């Protein structure tokens, strides 16, 4: 690896460009550059890499556009990378408008257009794959723009950004564009270390000021106001209004009362007011939009952290009769949408909810979420950006970087479901969401509105709005594919050096400095505490140790008993059989339920029988739903024709349950007893006897000594933890890489080779793994090695491989996935067996476990690849059209990798045939022509 001095010299040797370029570029712009934009562009012109950290909407992308301008005018190439395909498509359209179609290309997972152009827009993964493959397209590369570079904190895909920054040739200038983060200087220091001469340009100034509000019922209030000393504080009128609600008062105010300090439109009708005696209810979604419209605050994005919530909002506005655009504009929108969906088969339009979708658009509003068809999302984005629709109800995915600003942003709630539990949104997320408010060059100001609900505190909202402490944290970790590519290209030892230069290791090393300082302080404190607890009657350290041991044993006994109860609870779930009636003690599934399907669990998951609750809901019961063994209260016969897929069957069974099992059911038919641990009890009794016999036991200052001893033990634990943290953070990434290499040797993808630097070389299997970039890269390679896909036809191959890309939504409960045929079932069983072996190895080598293959998409994918229509494919599936299309695209990407990595000619042909079968209709609808 080059030394810092060599990197600096390399960067300094980059060609400095004629200073007239920036002047000519500015002349073409319809607006003058802000100071930070000019400073960053000047750095690019002088041949430096640059990190630009600025708020959403500040205009930092113009710096990346200047790098593209330089590429075109100096005979070099520029790659403009983005985190998501939608942003790539949007940036491609912007750059085509600036430089012409012949000068701009687009490379995404499923699109390759004009890839040798001077400017190529691509997803970051595409560039990473190019670097590993040594693509000829890299020749002449002068600039790489990394838009939304703060995305490297994403735990699923963030590592790709670091891989690119580390592996790019040092002669390439990097223009990194980031949202405002509190440790931008730290990230800039790391870029300086790995890229050479790098300037950091930071601004927290928003060109369009943002005003924060809360809407309570139908009234909107400024969130913050100035006191007599010009300091910001929470609006007293807002606090008074919330106080009235919490005390049960029913006072009402007009919409304009105490509210937006920004512009207001003319009121068309008075806002609804609360009547005496009414309980508080948040405003109806249609009323919120109507209020914003009357105040002149449209267009608006309302963030709802639920796909169903977004669709429900559109349905509510349709039912309310909301009309935000003129009938003439509505018909123009209808014609535009019909043109955009012309290549989607007519029979599929009804399946994907086209008619409700277009009806909302013609009235000026729409939903936007990941479950929608990608074509529909793009239509919404295009219409909203051009101002033709006025309200969008979106999930947080819209805030990822798509240039879709609004005059106002509304947050319905400050809590979201993160896939595991409901959590409060962070200050970083709040800023990212509200940052969409205020369109540069259009709006004088932007507005962020939080809807009041019971439990929401104005002070907490003010804290979210004012905090700016959200650091960028690396999510980088080596993968199996990364390991074989690095070993092949630079050797194991050099690969370790490369990985040690990651931002993850940079942050770990910096944190060790503070930990070492704290360790020295703790060691001095331990000496002082040891001296203070000395006793003139005997060895108090020994006495304190026995007391500590007794306390630990008592805690361990309690933990052991709790673990025994949990284990018994798990066993009880596994022993339940169809027809058993149980009472679930608490939680969402509380109450009587009847078991309809047994589930004894598997390697990774505990038992989870399916039950029908007393209100007819199908649920899965896991150990998290119970705190003690769940013993059956009675047994009922399940009807022969019963199926969980039929709502009527579920209702009928629930009615039988309510009728035949009394409200206060009898005691369980069996009881599970938990015995205490006699060995632990005996050891505690022996220690207590020795404690009473110890000389220090009679010391009159015993408890004073004991308090010092307790402080010593507490500090000792803290010190041991610090030592462990320091050891764990030293060479963290390289240690993980070594463990990955050990697994690869074990599975014969790498082999010892004394002639290679680092003692490892690729095997023939390893060359196949080099071409596989999926999350389950090693499992895919093992399936290729075992030949489990070689006898499958195209639809069956697509179905079997879908298990490596699909991940069922956690809240979906149902029966075991249906299999299209025996061949697919056998292939998936073998895939699961291979996964189990790999997962055992990962646990043994202390690596992150791999998610199990998920066959939930196999049936639908087989039907689609075999040529069936969308209605037949999605019938009885817990899957939206948008999710299906997204998974199909991921599947096409993986099948393409398999076609390139397979050493079996028949499998390569079958993979290509499967891709052709998938890439049709709605799946291919929004690909670039």
């Amino acid at each position: 690896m080059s030394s810092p001095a060599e990197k600096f010299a390399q960067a300094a040797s980059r060609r400095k460009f004629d200073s007239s370029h920036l002047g000519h570029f500015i002349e073409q712009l319809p607006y003058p550059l802000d100071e930070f934009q000019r400073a960053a562009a000047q750095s690019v012109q002088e041949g430096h890499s640059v990190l630009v950290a600025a708020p959403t909407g500040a205009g930092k992308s113009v710096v990346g556009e200047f790098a593209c301008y330089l590429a075109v005018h100096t005979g070099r190439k520029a790659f403009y990378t983005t985190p998501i395909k939608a942003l790539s498509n949007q940036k491609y359209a912007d750059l085509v408008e600036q430089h012409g179609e012949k000068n701009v290309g687009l490379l995404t997972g499923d699109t390759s257009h004009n890839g040798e152009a001077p400017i190529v827009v691509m997803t970051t993964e595409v560039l990473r794959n190019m670097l590993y493959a040594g693509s000829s397209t890299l020749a002449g590369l002068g600039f790489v723009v990394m838009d939304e570079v703060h995305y490297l904190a994403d735990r699923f895909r963030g590592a790709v950004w670091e891989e690119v920054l580390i592996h790019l040739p040092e002669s390439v200038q990097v223009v990194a564009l980031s949202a405002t983060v509190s440790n931008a200087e730290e990230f800039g220091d790391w870029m300086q270390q790995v890229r050479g001469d790098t300037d950091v340009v930071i601004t927290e100034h928003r060109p369009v000021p943002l005003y924060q509000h809360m809407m309570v019922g139908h009234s909107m209030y400024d969130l913050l106001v100035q006191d007599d000393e010009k300091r910001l504080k929470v609006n007293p009128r807002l606090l008074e209004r919330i106080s009235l609600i919490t005390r049960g008062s029913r006072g009402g105010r007009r919409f304009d009362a105490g509210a937006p300090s920004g512009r207001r439109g003319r009121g068309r009708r008075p806002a609804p007011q609360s009547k005496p005696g009414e309980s508080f209810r948040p405003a109806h979604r249609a009323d919120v939009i109507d209020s914003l419209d009357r105040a002149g605050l449209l267009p608006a994005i309302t963030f709802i952290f639920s796909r169903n919530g977004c669709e429900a909002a559109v349905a509510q506005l349709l039912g309310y009769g909301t009309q935000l655009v003129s009938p003439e504009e509505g018909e123009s929108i209808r014609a535009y949408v019909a043109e955009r969906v012309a290549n989607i088969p007519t029979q599929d339009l009804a399946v994907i909810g086209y008619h409700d979708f277009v009806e909302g658009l013609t009235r000026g509003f729409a939903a936007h979420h990941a479950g929608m068809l990608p074509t529909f999302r793009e239509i919404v984005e295009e219409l909203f950006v051009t101002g033709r629709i006025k309200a969008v109800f979106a999930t947080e995915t819209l805030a990822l970087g798509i240039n879709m600003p609004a005059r106002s942003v509304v947050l319905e709630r400050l809590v979201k479901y993160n896939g595991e539990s409901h959590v409060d949104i962070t200050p970083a997320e709040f800023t990212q969401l509200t940052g969409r408010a205020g369109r540069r060059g259009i709006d004088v100001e932007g507005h962020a509105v939080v809807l009041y609900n019971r439990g929401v505190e104005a002070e907490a909202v003010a804290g979210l709005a004012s905090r700016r402490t959200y650091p960028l944290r690396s999510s980088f970790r080596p993968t199996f594919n990364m390991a074989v590519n690095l070993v092949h290209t630079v050797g194991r030892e050099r690969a370790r050096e490369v990985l040690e230069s990651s931002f993850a290791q940079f942050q770990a090393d910096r944190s060790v400095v503070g930990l070492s300082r704290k360790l020295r302080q703790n060691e001095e404190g331990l000496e002082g505490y040891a001296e203070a607890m000395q006793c003139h009657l005997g060895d108090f350290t020994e006495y304190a140790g026995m007391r500590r041991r007794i306390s630990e044993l008592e805690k361990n006994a309690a933990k052991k008993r709790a673990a025994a109860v949990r284990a018994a609870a798990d066993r009880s779930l596994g022993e339940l059989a169809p027809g058993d009636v149980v009472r679930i003690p608490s939680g969402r599934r509380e109450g009587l339920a009847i078991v309809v399907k047994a589930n004894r669990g598997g390697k990774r998951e505990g038992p989870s029988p399916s039950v029908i609750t007393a209100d007819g809901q199908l649920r899965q019961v896991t150990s998290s739903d119970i705190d003690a063994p769940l013993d059956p209260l009675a047994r009922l016969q399940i009807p022969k024709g019963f199926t969980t897929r039929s709502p009527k069957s579920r209702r009928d069974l629930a009615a039988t349950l309510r009728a035949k099992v009394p409200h206060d059911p009898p005691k369980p038919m069996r009881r599970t007893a938990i015995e205490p641990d006699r060995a632990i009890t005996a050891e505690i009794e022996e220690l207590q006897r020795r404690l009473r016999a110890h000389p220090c036991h009679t010391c009159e200052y015993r408890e004073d000594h004991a308090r010092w001893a307790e402080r010593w033990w507490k500090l000792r634990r803290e010190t041991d933890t610090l030592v462990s943290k320091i050891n764990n953070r030293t060479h963290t990434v390289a240690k993980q890489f070594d463990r990955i290499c050990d697994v690869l040797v074990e599975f014969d993808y790498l082999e010892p080779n004394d002639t290679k630097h680092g003692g490892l070389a690729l095997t023939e299997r390893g060359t196949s793994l080099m071409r596989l970039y999926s999350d389950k890269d090693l499992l895919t390679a093992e399936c290729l090695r075992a030949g489990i896909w070689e006898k499958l036809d195209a639809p069956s191959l697509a179905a079997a491989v879908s298990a490596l890309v699909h991940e069922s939504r956690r809240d979906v409960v149902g029966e075991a996935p249906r299999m299209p045929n025996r061949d697919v079932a056998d292939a998936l069983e073998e895939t699961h067996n291979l996964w189990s072996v790999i997962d055992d190895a990962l646990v043994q080598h202390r690596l992150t476990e791999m998610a199990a293959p998920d066959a939930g998409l196999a049936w639908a994918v087989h039907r689609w690849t075999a040529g069936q229509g969308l209605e037949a494919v999605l019938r009885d599936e817990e899957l939206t059209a948008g999710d299906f299309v997204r998974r199909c695209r991921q599947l096409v990407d993986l099948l393409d990798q398999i076609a390139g990595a397979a050493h079996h000619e028949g499998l390569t042909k079958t993979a290509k045939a499967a891709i052709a079968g998938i890439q049709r209709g709605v799946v291919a609808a929004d690909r670039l022509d």
Side-chain angles (χ1 to χ4, degrees), residues 387-454:
R388 299 181 68 184
I389 60 173
K390 307 300 180 183
V392 168
F393 299 93
T395 56
E396 63 179 322
T397 53
L398 187 145
L400 279 179
I402 300 169
N403 184 23
M404 196 169 155
R407 180 169 296 166
S408 304
V409 163
V410 179
L411 273 69
E412 283 201 351
R413 295 187 180 277
L414 299 178
V415 174
K416 68 172 187 175
Y417 186 70
N418 67 359
E420 296 176 354
S421 60
H422 288 87
V423 297
D424 294 335
I425 65 171
T426 65
E429 290 167 334
F430 184 87
T431 301
Q432 185 86 351
L433 296 167
T434 58
R436 292 281 157 208
R439 298 164 295 174
R440 184 169 188 167
I442 302 175
D443 298 322
V444 176
E445 63 214 12
H447 298 268
V449 182
V450 174
L451 302 188
Y452 173 77
N453 289 279
R454 292 190 185 277

Side-chain angles (χ1 to χ4, degrees), residues 209-278:
L210 178 65
Y211 292 90
Q212 304 278 352
H213 314 286
M214 283 192 74
M215 182 177 280
V216 186
H218 295 85
S219 304
M220 189 155 70
Y221 300 80
D222 286 340
L223 176 62
L224 300 170
V225 296
Q226 289 185 339
D227 61 17
D228 295 337
E229 298 179 5
K230 304 295 184 183
R231 293 177 303 189
L232 289 176
K233 65 175 184 178
V234 178
N235 188 349
R237 291 185 179 182
L238 171 62
L239 295 174
E240 178 188 357
R241 177 73 178 98
I242 293 174
S243 177
L244 286 173
I245 291 170
T246 55
R247 293 203 307 266
S249 180
R250 307 292 181 250
R253 297 177 63 88
R254 284 191 71 251
F255 167 77
D256 285 339
S261 49
R263 291 175 294 172
R264 298 176 186 147
R266 295 181 180 178
R268 291 201 295 268
R269 68 172 187 246
Q273 298 204 13
S274 301
K275 297 177 182 178
E278 283 186 329

Side-chain angles (χ1 to χ4, degrees), residues 807-820:
E807 185 175 330
S808 299
R809 288 172 65 81
R810 291 172 185 266
D811 55 352
V812 173
V813 177
E815 299 173 335
R818 290 181 292 178
M819 292 293 106

